Amino acid sequence: KQEVTQIPAALSVPEGENLVLNCSFTDSAIYNLQWFRQDPGKGLTSLLLIQSSQREQTSGRLNASLDKSSGRSTLYIAASQPGDSATYLCAVTDSWGKLQFGAGTQVVVTP
Amino acid sequence: DAGVIQSPRHEVTEMGQEVTLRCKPISGHDYLFWYRQTMMRGLELLIYFNNNVPIDDSGMPEDRFSAKMPNASFSTLKIQPSEPRDSAVYFCASSLALGGRLQPQHFGDGTRLSIL
């Protein structure tokens, strides 16, 4: 059974520092991996999607890497801003389209 | 693009009552997902549809839960009878398969359900 783990559970950094969020999964037979952002009382917004054949994806200040063989993905957010404060979730997809989520990392960026 | 629309946004009802949650996916999307989010268990997939057909309902917790998708633009999740432990935020998401690959799922803002 696939298990997705995110470390740390919570993170607080001063504005301007780079953020590093980790995600690990136990079964490497994934279809793709997604990083989501969730603001309080809101739904999830997809940030990046990495197909199983890719090593990384970039969007603006965000960069996500994927090492499928070791079951790891890392989300980097450069030059953090207070507006980056949110919960970040990673999720892996199996070949049938089923998403398995991690518990999330709650991020606070202090001005 | 109106996004995924869920209703109601909040629902408070007494245990034993029937609850119906509604979802309108993004037009043209052929996959629809229902999730439940709680502090204890995080986000769990309950059921998903492809072209209005239920594909995997293994996440539905009990027979008290049922979901339907009568057409491509509407889905319901029903709980009957409801219990306090059903209190959670329920999300609907939709997606599209292109070239045999699933595109990112788009989530609605969720329905916050409280069963007293």
Side-chain angles (χ1 to χ4, degrees):
Chain A
K1 182 188 172 186
Q2 178 73 271
E3 290 185 9
V4 182
T5 304
Q6 290 187 248
I7 295 172
L11 185 60
S12 180
V13 299
E15 183 177 2
E17 272 200 14
N18 297 331
L19 283 163
V20 181
L21 309 179
N22 297 300
C23 174
S24 62
F25 46 95
T26 55
D27 185 350
S28 62
I30 63 170
Y31 190 61
N32 61 43
L33 184 144
Q34 280 185 260
W35 282 94
F36 292 87
R37 170 186 172 134
Q38 185 176 27
D39 293 291
K42 295 290 187 180
L44 280 70
T45 301
S46 181
L47 298 173
L48 291 167
L49 181 149
I50 312 176
Q51 300 292 352
S52 60
S53 58
Q54 296 177 315
R55 299 284 291 184
E56 67 175 346
Q57 275 284 357
T58 298
S59 176
R61 295 184 295 113
L62 276 60
N63 175 275
S65 65
L66 174 64
D67 185 341
K68 208 172 72 156
S69 61
S70 67
R72 292 181 186 176
S73 177
T74 302
L75 178 67
Y76 300 90
I77 303 178
S80 61
Q81 303 168 359
D84 295 328
S85 298
T87 297
Y88 292 83
L89 298 104
C90 76
V92 297
T93 308
D94 66 18
S95 60
W96 292 103
K98 199 169 179 177
L99 272 173
Q100 181 84 29
F101 282 87
T105 295
Q106 189 172 6
V107 171
V108 174
V109 180
T110 55
Chain B
D1 184 351
V4 176
I5 300 172
Q6 291 187 247
S7 63
R9 288 298 314 278
H10 303 274
E11 175 89 14
V12 181
T13 191
E14 294 184 347
M15 68 176 292
Q17 298 297 307
E18 178 179 290
V19 173
T20 300
L21 311 181
R22 297 173 177 80
C23 176
K24 178 179 169 55
I26 292 174
S27 176
H29 281 192
D30 53 0
Y31 281 83
L32 184 139
F33 306 82
W34 281 102
Y35 294 90
R36 178 172 68 176
Q37 187 176 39
T38 61
M39 288 293 292
M40 290 296 294
R41 300 174 67 91
L43 258 168
E44 303 172 283
L45 177 65
L46 301 177
I47 184 171
Y48 77 93
F49 296 82
N50 178 218
N51 292 323
N52 312 338
V53 176
I55 302 300
D56 185 348
D57 65 354
S58 60
M60 296 285 263
E62 301 172 34
D63 290 346
R64 298 184 295 107
F65 286 70
S66 63
K68 293 182 180 179
M69 192 163 186
N71 57 62
S73 59
F74 184 66
S75 176
T76 59
L77 178 67
K78 191 172 291 189
I79 309 173
Q80 167 63 16
S82 58
E83 297 183 4
R85 59 195 168 116
D86 301 331
S87 298
V89 182
Y90 290 81
F91 288 103
C92 175
S94 70
S95 182
L96 177 67
L98 285 176
R101 289 193 176 273
L102 278 171
Q103 301 304 297
Q105 293 183 25
H106 295 256
F107 281 73
D109 283 342
T111 294
R112 186 171 297 274
L113 178 64
S114 296
I115 308 296
L116 306 177

